[in-house]
Amino acid sequence: MASVRSCVSVKPAAGPARYRSARLGAASLEPRSLRISASCSSSLPSAADGCSSSRGVGCAASSSGRGDGAVAGLVGHGGSARRRMGGRDVAAMCSASLEGVRHAAVPTVPALPERVKAVALMAAVMLLCNADRVVMSVAVVPLAAQHGWSSSFVGIVQSSFLWGYVFSSMVGGALADKYGGKKVMAGAAALWSLATFLTPWAASQSAAVLLAVRVLFGIAEGVAFPTMSTFLPKWFPTHERATAVGISMGGFHLGNVVSFLATPVIMSHIGLAGTFAFFASLGYLWIAVWLLNVESDPIDSRTISKSELQLILAGRSKSKVKGDKFPSLREVFSKMGMWAIIVANVINNWGYFVLLSWMPVYFKTVYDVNLKQAAWFSAIPWAVMALSGYVAGASADYLIKSGVSTVRVRKIMQSIGFIGPGVSLLCLRFAQTPSVAAVIMTAALGLSSCSQAGYFCNVQDIAPQYAGSLHGMTNGIGVVAAIVSTVGAGYFVQWLGSFQAFLTLTAVLYFSATIFYNTYATGDLIFD
């Protein structure tokens, strides 16, 4: 006959015990003041051990005893269990309560914040945006040789990008403000990737088709910066915004490095058309990842944590009344804070394109050095700009979190972004060797990237709801200034017969704009 025994109390051994459940998997428990109260009915041979065991083996637990028969494994579910002891099966029905059991902590990998994913993807698309521009700059030489283009037509092809770019900046910003950065950036990337893919084919058709494709390319890329200005303020609180801009713009500058260095290598392996197709395919790959992982506003994200969303919303610029329409141009141009941003954008573009377009000519004329054949000119200045832009953004955010007012931080960063390049241009007069002059030029470009934490972020401070539209407007004016400075520099040098005079003029413009910005810039919300 089977004997029925009762488990009254089982105390654990001095060492930790391990419990295993075949249904739930292996779990490690640390007993702490553990008491197991159970009632069991078991069908045992007369010689078998019962539920009460001097070794601490209970109905629902396994404890290491001597190793030969003191291990009981639970199989099944609920209160049913089968225990094997000493080679014999024991069927048991157990009901147990465990008090004071503390589960061992299972290490978990912290989830990546959603805003980190957002800024990483933004930096990636800005890298592609610039890389696709540079592909044409590198490929135009073999294209010209293949199709017999004159140098004047090469200049027209290169400038045709800006025709569409100027037009789309304002329109793209308005679209981003209305429909959100997710859709507009995806559409823009799809369009410029298509134009990139079609460029070799268009060149083989006719000059008109090629120019039309390049204008389309410019229209699509003109949307990128205004859309970025709309997207980032939605995802980042004020005290993280400059860092986000620095990372995104770092991707943009690294696009130069990647494309300048990679395009010749890729072209040597898969040919001219294959190179354009390769960069276009990267654009469509990015679109797929972007659409699956990002929303225009974190409020719409299904994967963001509650704590991260609260952090973002708490750090947004406060608006008492949400505007229902874009302010009139009269209202926009009546605000001196807006004029501070416009003037800063104009001078930033003026100086940037002077450095970009005329420094190779300057070095060739003054030092008889061809910078375009130097490896450092293809990579180092852009890498320095990417790094310094991030450092400037992180520094600006640190100052804001430390209690420095937003407007003061913007003014500090903008002053560095203008005074630094201005002084660098004046120092070129004293450079005796091309190496020293190259270092000075790289320093000028690196310091100019501090403007990203200045006027670039300032438009997001004063009008977060219309950041895309207003950035598009100011950027369009700035691009016009870039065209004027690039074309005007040639006539100015021809008139005065000296590069140094034009560089001095540019330095004076930098210093004047610094005074104007520090006088009229504001960090207050003026368009809501």
Side-chain angles (χ1 to χ4, degrees):
M1 292 292 293
S3 62
V4 178
R5 306 187 183 190
S6 176
C7 300
V8 177
S9 176
V10 180
K11 293 183 179 180
R18 298 191 67 84
Y19 300 83
R20 292 187 182 273
S21 167
R23 182 174 181 82
L24 300 177
S28 176
L29 305 177
E30 284 184 49
R32 183 182 57 183
S33 302
L34 175 64
R35 194 182 73 176
I36 303 178
S37 300
S39 60
C40 306
S41 61
S42 58
S43 185
L44 302 170
S46 58
D49 290 340
C51 292
S52 180
S53 170
S54 62
R55 297 185 184 93
V57 180
C59 299
S62 65
S63 177
S64 53
R66 294 179 179 174
D68 52 350
V71 177
L74 284 179
V75 181
H77 63 279
S80 301
R82 178 171 296 276
R83 185 174 59 179
R84 184 172 184 83
M85 297 184 64
R88 290 166 293 181
D89 288 338
V90 179
M93 294 295 295
C94 301
S95 173
S97 64
L98 278 69
E99 298 176 4
V101 178
R102 178 168 60 87
H103 287 264
V106 179
T108 57
V109 178
L112 192 67
E114 291 301 308
R115 64 190 190 281
V116 173
K117 299 178 186 177
V119 75
L121 287 170
M122 180 59 70
V125 76
M126 297 307 292
L127 186 151
L128 291 174
C129 176
N130 207 14
D132 287 352
R133 297 184 195 183
V134 175
V135 170
M136 186 61 180
S137 298
V138 176
V140 74
V141 176
L143 281 173
Q146 181 179 344
H147 299 288
W149 297 342
S150 64
S151 57
S152 59
F153 183 72
V154 170
I156 293 173
V157 171
Q158 294 284 60
S159 65
S160 60
F161 159 80
L162 291 174
W163 306 348
Y165 189 91
V166 174
F167 170 77
S168 65
S169 286
M170 177 63 182
V171 177
L175 289 174
D177 287 338
K178 184 175 182 178
Y179 297 106
K182 176 181 179 178
K183 294 179 181 178
V184 176
M185 188 64 89
L191 199 58
W192 84 56
S193 296
L194 176 63
T196 299
F197 176 76
L198 293 176
T199 295
W201 169 83
S204 66
Q205 298 303 303
S206 67
V209 174
L210 175 62
L211 294 178
V213 168
R214 298 309 295 171
V215 170
L216 177 66
F217 180 78
I219 290 174
E221 292 224 335
V223 174
F225 280 104
T227 303
M228 183 179 75
S229 288
T230 295
F231 180 81
L232 293 180
K234 298 283 179 63
W235 274 93
F236 290 87
T238 303
H239 63 273
E240 294 181 353
R241 205 165 287 164
T243 302
V245 170
I247 293 172
S248 301
M249 291 300 297
F252 180 79
H253 296 311
L254 287 177
N256 277 288
V257 179
V258 171
S259 196
F260 266 127
L261 299 181
T263 297
V265 177
I266 298 172
M267 200 177 298
S268 66
H269 285 82
I270 59 177
L272 195 62
T275 302
F276 281 91
F278 172 77
F279 279 96
S281 66
L282 292 179
Y284 288 109
L285 176 62
W286 175 87
I287 292 170
V289 178
W290 171 263
L291 292 176
L292 291 173
N293 290 276
V294 169
E295 298 294 338
S296 296
D297 195 305
I299 295 175
D300 301 321
S301 175
R302 293 172 295 178
T303 55
I304 193 170
S305 67
K306 184 178 180 180
S307 59
E308 184 179 10
L309 181 59
Q310 289 176 341
L311 172 68
I312 295 170
L313 296 181
R316 283 185 177 178
S317 301
K318 302 296 187 296
S319 176
K320 296 180 181 179
V321 179
K322 184 176 180 180
D324 57 354
K325 64 178 182 178
F326 185 78
S328 65
L329 293 179
R330 182 176 181 179
E331 184 180 1
V332 169
F333 291 120
S334 68
K335 307 293 185 181
M336 292 307 297
M338 192 66 205
W339 274 107
I341 294 173
I342 292 173
V343 170
N345 200 321
V346 166
I347 300 305
N348 182 72
N349 277 276
W350 175 290
Y352 178 76
F353 279 91
V354 165
L355 291 171
L356 207 62
S357 303
W358 284 100
M359 280 301 98
V361 180
Y362 174 81
F363 274 77
K364 180 65 177 175
T365 304
V366 176
Y367 300 107
D368 194 27
V369 173
N370 189 347
L371 288 184
K372 290 188 176 181
Q373 294 178 354
W376 78 267
F377 187 72
S378 300
I380 293 179
W382 310 111
V384 169
M385 287 193 74
L387 178 61
S388 59
Y390 170 76
V391 171
S395 300
D397 287 341
Y398 174 79
L399 291 174
I400 292 174
K401 284 186 285 188
S402 299
V404 183
S405 67
T406 301
V407 65
R408 177 166 293 184
V409 172
R410 302 294 181 236
K411 289 178 179 180
I412 290 172
M413 291 300 161
Q414 193 56 59
S415 298
I416 297 173
F418 278 175
I419 294 176
V423 172
S424 298
L425 292 180
L426 295 179
C427 288
L428 278 176
R429 177 191 298 271
F430 305 102
Q432 300 297 318
T433 65
S435 298
V436 173
V439 170
I440 293 174
M441 176 184 152
T442 302
L445 286 169
L447 291 170
S448 71
S449 63
C450 291
S451 294
Q452 296 166 191
Y455 84 89
F456 199 102
C457 287
N458 198 190
V459 71
Q460 301 168 10
D461 300 327
I462 67 172
Q465 185 179 349
Y466 307 112
S469 299
L470 294 177
H471 181 90
M473 178 190 300
T474 59
N475 194 51
I477 298 172
V479 170
V480 172
I483 295 172
V484 172
S485 69
T486 303
V487 176
Y491 289 101
F492 197 91
V493 171
Q494 186 176 354
W495 174 42
L496 294 178
S498 170
F499 271 106
Q500 191 59 52
F502 185 76
L503 297 180
T504 301
L505 170 64
T506 301
V508 170
L509 291 176
Y510 270 131
F511 300 146
S512 301
T514 303
I515 296 172
F516 189 88
Y517 187 85
N518 278 274
T519 303
Y520 295 109
T522 179
D524 298 331
L525 190 70
I526 62 176
F527 297 116
D528 59 0

